[in-house]
């Protein structure tokens, strides 16, 4: 009679102990914010990885099973706003507290936003696929890391440069899109590639161009054809085309290239944006595409095979389709989760994000993606990349990529499995090559010598020329020699070959038209775009492509269409996604919280006058990293002195030392601005950025004006300057105590309260180009006044030079002022207002 109760009690005791043990486990909560639309494989891979870790795989968790990993998956849709909202959703569900770690996002834009907002609470963060070099800024993103390298010379760019050099290539063409990814990649490549490399080789970019995207993100086929037609293919042109774009854009361009028979022997090279993808190319069936690309290392060692087998068993048990090979970035996703859990377990305090990050960056293990190790800023150390080659196109139209080797980021780090015999090239095919095709098209052979009669005529002309030169040469010899000496002494000058205006993207404000609309007249709006005003300081939460000017965020295409349609119907307001937009007040109201924001309606168009001026060269759009800086117009014959160069493109900053026609230059400023205020458009007649292709090296005759204007004076450097190392680079020299520093301090303190002011340091700026530009102007004035009637005495000329002028500024623009001089575009908002 007593046995059953004792047995029952024992069962209850065992059940309670098990329940208590499960309850007392330390739960590691991970937020996983990923693009599950594009990476539709990610939910299974993430779920399986967490399950395997909880089961003891890789011994990540302590052997006594005191920990358990839980994850919470949200879709970021590769959109910064969606990603941030997902983070706050998970944080709210976690009782208003941040989760222990963050995995994601797929794209760099959302990862930047997530890193900023989660970093405020010191949450460790790993992205398995965001490769923007911006995220390598450890000061701005101290809690961010990734099991892959950035898209610069430390990562994919470095691997492609190593590959190019392995093939003996030194000249390339770059084609890209006007996306942040493509522009940043191309700029990183140029910086690492162009120029001499210790005398061993010299990299050059033979040609570059950009495909402009439509508002819907696509590329117009006719635009593609026009761009392709503009690519040179003559002797010396490069057949190697670097193509850093996303897969959808690669598909469109490569299709048009094939259909129009564009340079069929071109060698297209891509990165992970499109190279490893299953791109549909029905038009290429039966041909050898010959594309070459690199992708994060497609590891297939024992660790990889063990995981894949376990994943297949997991999928089979759940009735899912088994994965034959992990897709791109799936390997890194597994290793990111493993690394994050390991660092959280190793840390003594999971709430101390800095401590977790320290443990994270000390990890080293053999992962599914290969050997994983992090550097001091959280990027993957010693990354490897798989080299892929498109050998053929399947019957279904899919590119067949073959793994032909791998590369690191250093020269001589490339391994091709079967040397060049395993590589297929367009037109050449797969012929067991002993060598690769050259990077440039061959030069034409020298012409056959001309007939003797032509030689005789040429000789007669030469003799006559010599006779003429002997008669007139003595007279001009001294003057020419002086001009040549002058030309050699003036640093970094260029002569404008044509009239030139910069391209200005002009916002045409139609907001006030909403208040002035008649009852019967439709407004021709062109490409009207609606936007709302974000709170200051929160613009970074949105993708750059969605930003317009300062603090304005573009509505999505669907909302924009609804707003414009309602506006054209002369409605007073329009409701979209829980918001009401009032067209009279031009405000957006959250219908739930009543919070209001301003809205704006604009048309973005390129100034029509730029297109109508047939004899004026129109520049390209200013590069993204120079956005907001000053640009300059040129008149044919202007001489410009360059004070800042960019070695990786043709943009230069300069100041005119000779203006052929200043009145015409001001008219060109008005043409470029087309009604905008020049200070707003940042277009000026005398200094700013311009494109080198619109200029040439000056001749001695081009600089005759300097000789005429300065008389017998010379462009001597100040006696206090030290030796100039590079005339194109401005130098800063700390002044020691002495006469030069004393003069500066006394002049500065003359109008200051010296009892409350202390001079900490004084630096001398040695900018040869700016000094010579100034000196020419000063000596021109002095020479003119010396010849005036009545003439000035030498002693009186000092009144034309203001020797002391002090100007305050903020630290952010000091380097620009040192290199480029003062410019109104550096003014703060308070000054402008």
């Amino acid at each position: 009679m007593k046995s059953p109760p004792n047995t029952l009690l024992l069962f209850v005791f065992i059940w309670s102990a098990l329940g208590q043990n499960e309850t007392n486990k330390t739960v590691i909560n991970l937020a996983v914010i990923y693009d599950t639309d594009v990476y539709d494989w990610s939910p299974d891979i993430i779920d399986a990885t967490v399950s395997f870790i909880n089961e003891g795989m890789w011994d990540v968790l302590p052997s006594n099973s005191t920990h358990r990993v839980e994850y919470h998956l949200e879709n970021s849709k590769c959109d910064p706003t969606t990603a941030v909202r997902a983070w706050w959703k998970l944080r709210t569900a976690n009782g208003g507290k941040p989760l222990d770690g963050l995995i994601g996002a797929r794209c760099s834009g959302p990862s930047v936003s997530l890193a900023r907002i989660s970093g405020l609470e010191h949450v460790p963060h790993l992205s398995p696929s965001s490769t923007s070099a911006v995220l390598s800024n450890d000061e701005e993103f101290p809690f961010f890391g990734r099991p892959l390298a950035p898209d610069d010379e430390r990562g994919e760019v470095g691997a492609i440069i190593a590959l190019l050099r392995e093939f003996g290539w030194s000249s390339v063409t770059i084609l890209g899109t006007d996306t942040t990814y493509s522009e940043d990649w191309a700029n990183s490549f140029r910086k690492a590639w162009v120029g001499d490399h210790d005398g061993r080789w010299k990299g050059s970019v033979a040609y570059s161009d950009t495909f402009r995207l439509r508002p819907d993100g696509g590329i117009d086929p006719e635009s593609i054809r026009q761009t392709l037609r503009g690519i040179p293919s003559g002797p010396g042109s490069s057949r190697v085309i670097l193509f850093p774009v996303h897969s959808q854009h690669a598909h469109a361009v490569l299709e048009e290239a094939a259909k129009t028979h564009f340079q069929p022997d071109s060698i297209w090279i891509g990165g992970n944006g499109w190279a490893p993808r299953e791109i549909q190319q029905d038009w290429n069936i039966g041909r050898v595409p010959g594309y070459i690309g690199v992708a994060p290392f497609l590891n297939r060692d024992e660790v990889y095979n063990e995981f894949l087998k376990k994943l297949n068993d997991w999928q089979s048990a759940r009735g899912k389709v088994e994965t034959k090979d992990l897709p791109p970035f799936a390997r890194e996703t597994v290793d990111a989760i493993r690394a994050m859990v390991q660092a959280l377990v190793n840390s003594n305090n999971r709430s101390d994000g800095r401590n977790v990050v320290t443990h994270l960056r000390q990890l080293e293990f053999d992962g599914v993606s290969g050997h994983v190790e992090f550097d001091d800023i959280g990027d993957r150390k010693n990354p490897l990349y798989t080299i892929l080659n498109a050998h053929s196109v399947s019957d279904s139209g899919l590119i067949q990529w073959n793994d032909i080797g791998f590369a690191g980021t250093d020269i001589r780090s490339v391994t091709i499995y079967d040397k060049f015999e395993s590589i297929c090239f367009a037109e050449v095919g797969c012929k067991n090559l002993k060598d690769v095709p050259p990077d440039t098209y061959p030069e034409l052979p020298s012409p056959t010598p001309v007939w003797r009669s032509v030689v005789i005529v040429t000789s007669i002309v030469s003799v006559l020329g010599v006779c003429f030169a002997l008669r007139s040469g003595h007279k001009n010899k001294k003057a020419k020699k002086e001009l040549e000496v002058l030309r050699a002494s003036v640093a970094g000058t260029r002569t404008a070959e044509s009239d030139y205006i910069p391209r200005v993207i002009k916002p045409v404000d139609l907001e006030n038209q909403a208040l002035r609309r008649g009852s019967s007249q439709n407004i021709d709006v062109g490409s009207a775009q609606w936007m709302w005003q974000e709170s200051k300081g929160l613009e970074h939460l949105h993708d750059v492509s969605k930003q317009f000017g300062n603090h304005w965020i573009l509505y999505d295409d669907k909302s924009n269409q609804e707003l414009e349609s309602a506006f054209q119907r002369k409605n007073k307001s329009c409701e979209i996604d829980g918001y009401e937009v009032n067209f009279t007040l031009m405000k957006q109201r959250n219908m739930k919280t009543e919070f209001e924001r301003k809205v704006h309606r604009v048309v973005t168009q390129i100034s029509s006058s730029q297109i109508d001026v047939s004899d004026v060269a129109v520049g390209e759009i200013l590069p993204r990293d120079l956005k907001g800086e000053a640009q300059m117009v040129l008149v044919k014959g202007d001489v410009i002195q360059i004070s800042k160069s960019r070695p990786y493109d043709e943009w230069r900053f300069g100041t005119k030392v000779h203006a052929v026609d200043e009145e015409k230059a001001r008219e060109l400023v008005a043409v470029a601005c087309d009604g905008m205020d020049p200070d707003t458009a940042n277009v000026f007649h005398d200094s700013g950025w311009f494109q080198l292709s619109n200029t040439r090296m000056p001749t001695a005759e081009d600089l005759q004006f300097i000789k005429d204007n300065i008389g017998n004076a010379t462009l001597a450097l100040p006696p206090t300057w030290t030796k100039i190392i590079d005339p194109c680079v401005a130098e800063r020299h700390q002044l020691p105590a002495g006469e030069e520093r004393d003069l500066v301090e006394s002049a500065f303190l003359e109008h200051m309260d010296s009892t409350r002011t202390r001079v900490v340091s004084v630096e001398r700026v040695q900018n040869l180009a700016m000094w010579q530009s100034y000196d020419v102007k000063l000596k021109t004035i002095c020479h003119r006044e010396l010849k005036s009637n009545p003439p000035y005495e030498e002693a009186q000329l000092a009144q034309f030079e203001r020797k002391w002028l002090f100007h305050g500024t903020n630290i952010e623009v000091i380097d620009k002022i040192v290199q480029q001089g003062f410019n109104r575009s550096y003014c703060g908002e308070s000054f402008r207002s």
Side-chain angles (χ1 to χ4, degrees):
M1 296 292 295
K2 293 182 181 180
S3 252
N6 287 340
T7 304
L8 180 62
L9 287 171
L10 179 62
F11 171 77
V12 171
F13 172 76
I14 293 173
W15 179 85
S16 299
L18 287 173
Q20 185 177 11
N21 184 45
E22 191 69 24
T23 303
N24 290 337
K25 280 189 176 183
T26 300
V27 176
I28 296 175
N29 273 311
L30 297 183
V32 184
I33 301 177
Y34 223 30
D35 186 352
T36 56
D37 291 341
V38 175
Y39 286 176
D40 54 1
W41 48 262
S42 59
D44 276 2
I45 296 292
I46 293 165
D47 194 28
T49 301
V50 171
S51 298
F52 299 162
I53 290 175
N54 283 328
E55 292 169 4
M57 192 172 186
W58 304 309
D59 296 325
V60 175
L61 299 180
S63 57
N64 56 7
S65 299
T66 57
H67 291 68
R68 184 178 79 256
V69 181
E70 294 184 359
Y71 75 94
H72 311 272
L73 177 63
E74 289 290 333
N75 188 358
S76 65
K77 296 184 180 294
C78 201
D79 175 67
T81 302
T82 303
V84 170
R85 287 173 179 167
W87 169 254
W88 279 108
K89 177 182 176 181
L90 295 178
R91 189 181 181 281
T92 302
N94 195 45
K97 298 183 297 182
L99 286 79
D100 297 320
L102 170 60
I103 305 293
R106 175 177 79 89
C107 304
S108 294
S111 288
V112 167
S113 297
L114 287 172
R116 282 178 173 143
I117 197 165
S118 64
L120 295 174
E121 297 180 288
H122 297 190
V123 178
H125 176 191
L126 287 176
S127 170
S129 57
S130 297
T131 56
S132 171
V134 171
L135 287 161
S136 294
N137 186 334
D138 195 41
E139 292 185 1
E140 190 171 357
F141 307 107
F143 302 97
F144 178 83
R146 47 192 167 186
L148 66 166
D151 284 335
D152 58 17
E153 68 275 11
R154 297 165 296 170
E156 185 175 279
V157 166
I160 285 186
I161 289 177
L163 178 64
L164 293 172
R165 292 307 304 149
E166 179 71 14
F167 291 166
W169 295 338
S170 58
S171 177
V172 300
T173 287
I174 301 179
L175 297 181
T177 59
D178 55 351
T179 60
T180 302
Y181 160 71
S182 187
E183 290 180 354
D184 289 349
W185 196 104
N187 282 335
S188 293
F189 177 82
R190 287 189 180 96
K191 290 177 182 179
W193 173 260
V194 174
D196 182 77
H197 296 264
D198 299 326
R200 293 178 290 121
W201 59 280
K202 187 175 182 179
S204 66
V205 176
Y207 181 81
S208 65
D209 206 344
T210 301
F211 296 102
R212 307 293 176 187
L213 302 189
R214 299 189 305 250
D216 64 0
I219 310 178
D220 181 65
E222 181 56 34
S223 171
I224 296 175
R225 288 189 285 271
Q226 289 179 2
T227 301
L228 293 177
R229 283 196 295 267
I231 299 173
S233 59
S237 302
S238 178
R239 63 158 54 89
V240 179
I241 300 177
L242 292 191
F243 197 35
V245 300
H246 292 113
S247 58
Q248 66 271 27
H249 303 139
H251 178 279
V253 173
L254 294 173
E255 179 177 13
E256 285 299 324
K259 289 180 176 179
T260 57
H261 305 289
F262 162 78
Q263 300 179 22
D265 60 345
S266 295
I267 302 168
W268 295 80
I269 298 179
N272 69 73
W274 64 273
R277 316 290 174 176
E278 292 185 340
I279 300 178
Q280 190 77 24
Q281 290 201 340
D282 298 332
W283 67 88
N284 245 342
I285 294 176
R287 296 180 64 249
V288 175
Y291 309 140
I292 297 174
V294 301
F297 189 56
L298 301 176
N299 180 51
R300 292 185 176 87
D301 64 6
E302 293 181 2
V303 178
Y304 170 84
N305 289 326
E306 179 190 7
F307 177 83
L308 185 60
K309 182 180 183 304
K310 198 171 181 66
L311 174 65
N312 289 162
D313 293 341
W314 183 89
Q315 291 170 326
S316 178
R318 290 160 177 75
K320 297 176 178 288
V321 177
E322 294 183 9
T323 300
K324 294 181 179 180
D325 190 19
L326 292 184
F329 296 114
R331 295 167 173 81
E332 288 76 15
T333 300
V334 175
D335 287 341
I337 296 172
R338 174 180 174 180
M340 180 64 75
V341 173
Q342 186 72 70
L344 289 166
V345 170
N346 293 347
S347 175
N348 296 324
N349 182 3
R350 283 180 295 137
S351 62
D352 183 353
R354 294 189 185 278
N355 184 265
V356 176
V357 168
T358 298
H359 282 280
L360 184 62
R361 295 177 181 178
Q362 293 173 348
L363 288 178
E364 185 176 353
F365 60 89
D366 291 326
V368 176
S369 65
H371 186 73
V372 179
E373 189 176 356
F374 299 92
D375 62 21
D376 293 339
I377 57 175
D379 290 332
R380 188 166 190 149
K381 197 172 182 179
N382 302 320
L384 290 177
Y385 292 83
T386 294
I387 304 172
L388 301 164
N389 183 215
H391 280 206
S392 60
V393 176
S394 69
D395 293 339
S396 61
L398 287 177
I399 287 181
Q400 304 296 299
W401 291 102
N402 282 26
D403 181 344
I404 62 170
F406 62 89
T409 58
D410 298 324
I411 304 295
R412 296 184 296 277
S413 65
V414 176
T415 297
I416 304 295
Y417 297 135
D418 297 315
K419 298 298 180 183
F420 302 132
E421 297 176 3
S422 63
I423 307 176
C424 298
F425 293 96
E427 295 300 293
V428 176
C430 311
K431 298 180 179 179
N432 294 325
L433 300 176
K434 301 301 181 184
D435 203 352
V436 299
D439 54 352
T440 57
Y441 294 102
E443 298 285 351
L444 294 175
S446 300
T448 304
V450 293
W451 292 103
R452 187 175 303 173
S453 60
V454 179
V455 173
I456 294 173
V457 172
T458 305
S459 299
I460 294 172
V461 173
S462 299
V463 170
L464 291 174
V466 169
C467 293
F468 179 79
L470 288 173
R471 295 180 60 186
S472 60
H474 292 293
K475 181 178 180 181
N476 297 325
K477 186 174 182 181
K478 182 178 179 182
K480 286 186 177 180
K481 185 176 181 180
E482 290 175 350
L483 283 173
E484 288 295 339
V485 171
L486 179 64
R487 183 168 73 98
S489 68
V490 180
T493 51
R494 302 285 294 187
T495 299
E497 283 197 299
S498 64
D499 294 346
Y500 162 86
I501 59 175
R503 186 176 294 269
V504 177
I505 299 299
K506 179 186 176 187
V508 183
D509 188 0
L510 299 182
E511 178 181 329
N512 291 329
Q513 294 185 27
L515 305 177
R516 301 194 304 266
R517 290 176 297 156
S519 57
S520 60
Q521 182 182 11
N522 269 340
I523 300 172
D524 182 13
V525 298
S527 53
Q529 180 67 59
W530 289 82
M531 58 198 72
W532 54 273
Q533 189 176 41
E534 176 60 282
S535 302
K536 189 174 182 180
L538 296 181
E539 303 90 340
H540 65 273
L541 300 179
H542 307 276
D543 188 88
V544 174
S545 64
K546 295 294 184 183
Q547 298 181 28
F548 187 97
N550 293 327
H551 321 314
W552 293 98
I553 309 301
L554 301 177
Y555 284 96
D556 59 54
D557 293 340
K558 181 174 178 294
S559 299
N560 191 78
Q561 186 175 1
E562 292 179 5
L563 286 168
E564 186 59 24
S565 178
F567 181 88
Q568 288 287 355
R569 292 195 304 269
K570 309 204 172 28
N571 294 352
K572 293 182 179 179
S573 62
C574 175
E575 292 185 11
I576 50 167
D577 297 332
Y579 295 91
E580 181 190 49
V581 176
N582 187 307
F583 294 138
T584 303
L585 300 177
M586 294 302 283
K587 286 187 176 182
Q588 167 189 283
R589 177 177 63 87
N590 187 315
M591 298 169 67
K592 182 179 293 185
T593 65
E594 297 297 321
F595 186 77
E596 291 185 341
R597 295 182 184 273
K598 290 182 179 180
V599 298
H600 207 47
R601 178 175 179 267
V602 304
V603 169
T604 302
Q605 63 181 177
I606 293 178
S607 167
S608 58
S609 60
Q610 295 176 353
I611 301 170
D612 295 337
V613 183
S614 57
D615 295 331
V616 178
V618 182
E620 295 180 1
I621 296 174
L622 199 64
R624 188 182 302 272
D625 59 321
L626 296 180
K627 182 180 178 182
E629 294 203 17
Q631 298 189 74
M632 175 171 57
V633 302
L634 301 177
V635 176
K636 184 177 181 179
D638 283 346
V639 178
I640 311 100
Q641 191 152 32
I642 296 172
S643 57
K644 185 169 184 180
S645 299
R646 288 157 59 94
Y648 43 88
D649 62 27
E650 63 168 27
W651 286 93
R652 302 292 184 268
F653 189 96
T655 302
K656 293 182 184 178
V657 292
H658 176 55
V660 171
D661 188 338
E662 188 170 317
E663 183 178 348
K664 183 176 182 180
R666 293 183 185 277
E667 292 175 355
L668 288 176
V669 169
V671 170
C673 296
D674 194 25
M676 292 179 67
D677 176 56
D679 282 352
T680 301
N682 280 329
V683 178
F684 305 101
H685 73 279
D686 54 356
S687 66
W689 289 96
F690 66 96
Q691 287 181 276
L692 205 61
S693 59
N694 297 285
T695 65
R696 58 172 170 78
M697 290 292 293
T699 63
E701 287 71 21
D702 289 335
L703 300 181
Q704 177 68 48
F705 75 92
I706 295 181
K707 186 65 180 171
D708 293 341
N709 288 340
I710 68 176
N712 295 322
T714 60
L715 301 180
L717 297 179
T720 56
W721 278 26
T722 59
K723 183 179 179 181
I724 299 290
I725 298 174
D726 185 344
C728 295
V729 177
E731 301 172 0
R732 294 166 63 177
H733 295 273
Q734 189 85 26
L735 293 186
E739 181 181 0
E740 186 179 7
R741 174 166 175 160
D742 291 344
L743 285 172
V744 177
E745 289 191 15
S746 61
F748 178 71
L749 295 173
E750 182 178 354
H751 302 290
M752 305 287 289
D753 184 350
S754 58
T755 62
R756 302 177 60 186
T757 306
R758 181 169 65 92
V759 177
V760 177
S761 67
V762 178
E763 294 181 29
R764 182 202 309 123
V765 176
Q766 295 187 178
N767 186 322
L768 181 60
M770 296 298 295
W771 165 259
Q772 289 185 338
S773 176
Y774 163 79
D775 204 25
V776 167
K777 289 180 172 65
L778 175 63
K779 286 182 169 60
T780 298
I781 294 173
C782 293
H783 184 61
R784 181 190 65 209
E785 298 303 328
L786 283 171
K787 295 192 303 180
S788 63
N789 188 17
Y792 277 75
E793 299 293 335
E794 289 279 357
Q796 295 177 298
L797 297 178
Q799 65 179 293
F800 297 111
E801 183 176 18
R802 178 74 176 271
K803 291 190 175 182
W804 298 111
L805 179 65
F806 298 96
H807 189 291
T809 189
N810 58 63
I811 194 170
E812 287 81 6
V813 298
I814 287 179
D815 288 339
K816 289 183 178 180
I817 292 174
V818 167
Q819 188 68 49
Q820 300 166 207
F822 285 101
N823 191 282
R824 290 189 292 276
S825 65
Y826 304 151
C827 299
E829 293 299 323
S830 59
F831 179 88
R832 288 175 182 240
S833 61

